[in-house]
Amino acid sequence: MEVCNDTGRFESMCSTDVWVLDRNLAGDCLENGMCRYDEMNMKEGVCMSKKKKQHYIPRFLLKNFADQMPIPIRNGCIFRIDLEKRTLRTPQIKHECVKKSLYECREILPENYLEDMLGRFEDQWAIILKKLIAKQTLIKDETIWLYLFLTFQLLRMPDMIKLYEEYITTIIIKNKIKMPVSLEDMARFLLFAIKYNKDNTIVIDLCQRLQYYDINLWYTSKTYPFILNSITPIFTINVGQQPLVWFCPIASTCCMVMTKQSQFDEYCGVKEYHDVPKNIVDFVNDVSVRRDSPIVYTNDIVTAKRLLKI
């Protein structure tokens, strides 16, 4: 059994040799979300503030790991553990997991177009994750949005965007294509601009692939919380090259665990809810800190100090 250091090459991640399941539903959800986004843009006009620093882990997700922070630490902060430097800080969430102009492709789209689009989707995802944390049942459209959350979270990480830029560069060079815009802009456009590429997009292909994993929810107490990794918030345990289990902590008290479903199972989505003991939480956290990233987050000082001793 092997812990995977990344989510694999795009060729294997986004291959479409899987059963077709709710591809149209995923596309419809995205299209409806884009319509709402365009309507809001028309109402707000040019008054929306421009965002230079853009989050690759959304603030709502970081906040789920910053609840119940001890007094006198101010609101909006989180414990940030640097496992390489062996340091512990309490920065504000708004300054964490950000990169300047991460989603910009100004030669093709208006400034902040993709950033604002993701912001609209994040409003929906935050509501859905809040329901899961409270052990509430999702309806079908919400389940599709949940798989879309996982899809975008995998693709929006800086390392994945860079990987896709390299993938596009290889294709351009191999086919001797003349580019009218920069490779960086074209890669981000093809990766995220779903409105222009709805019927043939990596987002839909990867979402379709993820739907063949059942989702189970593991819950813990605030005494021994799950942690969040800053580079691989979603991580896997592999057998060979195939993911055996996917882990996605969505709060200090809740982690999504995805396992491959039977080929005879036509139902996808959240299957089971489990309260898990401390040793299981420690296992998930220990797998998480074996990532390439030295930075992890928690709301618990005891957990922070334990991680610094590893």
Side-chain angles (χ1 to χ4, degrees):
M1 187 176 294
E2 171 186 3
V3 175
C4 183
N5 289 325
D6 56 41
T7 47
R9 301 297 298 183
F10 271 88
E11 296 92 328
S12 59
M13 281 182 61
C14 304
S15 62
T16 55
D17 56 340
V18 294
W19 308 298
V20 176
L21 179 65
D22 281 334
R23 182 184 178 92
N24 292 334
L25 270 179
D28 291 343
C29 283
L30 289 172
E31 187 171 33
N32 292 337
M34 284 304 301
C35 287
R36 288 196 297 271
Y37 162 67
D38 288 339
E39 289 172 4
M40 291 296 293
N41 267 358
M42 289 176 66
K43 291 178 182 178
E44 296 175 10
V46 295
C47 298
M48 296 181 69
S49 60
K50 299 302 181 183
K51 302 169 186 174
K52 300 294 185 183
K53 293 183 178 180
Q54 300 170 356
H55 283 80
Y56 47 87
I57 295 181
R59 290 173 67 173
F60 80 83
L61 187 58
L62 286 163
K63 287 178 181 177
N64 289 347
F65 293 85
D67 59 330
Q68 304 294 320
M69 286 289 285
I71 298 175
I73 297 174
R74 63 189 183 276
N75 289 333
C77 291
I78 193 169
F79 286 127
R80 179 184 191 271
I81 304 107
D82 188 320
L83 299 173
E84 282 188 353
K85 297 179 180 178
R86 301 293 172 183
T87 58
L88 173 63
R89 294 176 48 221
T90 53
Q92 289 188 300
I93 287 172
K94 65 182 180 180
H95 299 310
E96 294 302 299
C97 299
V98 296
K99 191 171 181 180
K100 186 177 180 181
S101 301
L102 180 62
Y103 307 116
E104 296 303 326
C105 45
R106 294 189 184 92
E107 296 180 38
I108 307 174
L109 295 172
E111 185 177 7
N112 273 186
Y113 179 92
L114 296 177
E115 167 71 8
D116 292 338
M117 179 198 76
L118 287 170
R120 300 298 182 203
F121 293 167
E122 286 168 7
D123 293 341
Q124 181 76 14
W125 293 330
I127 293 170
I128 292 170
L129 294 195
K130 188 175 181 179
K131 289 183 68 173
L132 291 179
I133 294 165
K135 300 185 179 181
Q136 297 176 9
T137 303
L138 302 183
I139 62 175
K140 189 168 187 178
D141 280 359
E142 290 175 328
T143 300
I144 299 299
W145 272 107
L146 180 61
Y147 282 105
L148 287 169
F149 159 72
L150 292 164
T151 301
F152 274 95
Q153 191 55 65
L154 283 166
L155 295 177
R156 71 191 296 183
M157 302 302 292
D159 285 351
M160 290 302 292
I161 295 175
K162 182 179 179 181
L163 181 64
Y164 189 61
E165 289 174 0
E166 294 172 356
Y167 177 65
I168 290 295
T169 301
T170 301
I171 293 175
I172 296 300
I173 293 174
K174 182 178 179 180
N175 293 280
K176 299 179 180 179
I177 300 172
K178 294 183 178 179
M179 290 294 293
V181 298
S182 69
L183 285 171
E184 293 82 2
D185 279 13
M186 181 56 71
R188 291 167 184 162
F189 176 79
L190 292 175
L191 193 54
F192 295 115
I194 52 179
K195 178 179 179 180
Y196 302 91
N197 197 24
K198 173 177 170 286
D199 294 326
N200 184 23
T201 174
I202 289 171
V203 169
I204 300 297
D205 289 342
L206 181 53
C207 183
Q208 177 191 352
R209 194 175 183 85
L210 289 177
Q211 285 177 56
Y212 286 94
Y213 286 83
D214 290 329
I215 298 175
N216 298 294
L217 292 169
W218 289 358
Y219 295 90
T220 182
S221 72
K222 295 175 181 177
T223 307
Y224 41 97
F226 293 107
I227 63 174
L228 179 68
N229 189 291
S230 67
I231 297 299
T232 50
I234 302 174
F235 50 95
T236 66
I237 292 178
N238 284 10
V239 174
Q241 298 298 317
Q242 295 299 315
L244 177 66
V245 183
W246 296 71
F247 296 97
C248 178
I250 59 173
S252 59
T253 57
C254 183
C255 178
M256 286 197 293
V257 183
M258 301 171 61
T259 53
K260 194 71 174 285
Q261 66 183 208
S262 165
Q263 70 181 71
F264 303 108
D265 192 348
E266 296 180 356
Y267 170 80
C268 68
V270 179
K271 289 294 186 70
E272 297 180 355
Y273 302 76
H274 297 284
D275 294 317
V276 295
K278 179 179 181 297
N279 60 344
I280 296 298
V281 178
D282 288 343
F283 167 76
V284 175
N285 288 344
D286 288 345
V287 172
S288 178
V289 299
R290 292 172 65 184
R291 309 294 96 195
D292 294 332
S293 168
I295 308 298
V296 294
Y297 299 99
T298 184
N299 62 352
D300 181 58
I301 188 63
V302 175
T303 300
K305 290 180 178 179
R306 183 183 75 84
L307 290 171
L308 287 171
K309 293 179 181 178
I310 294 177

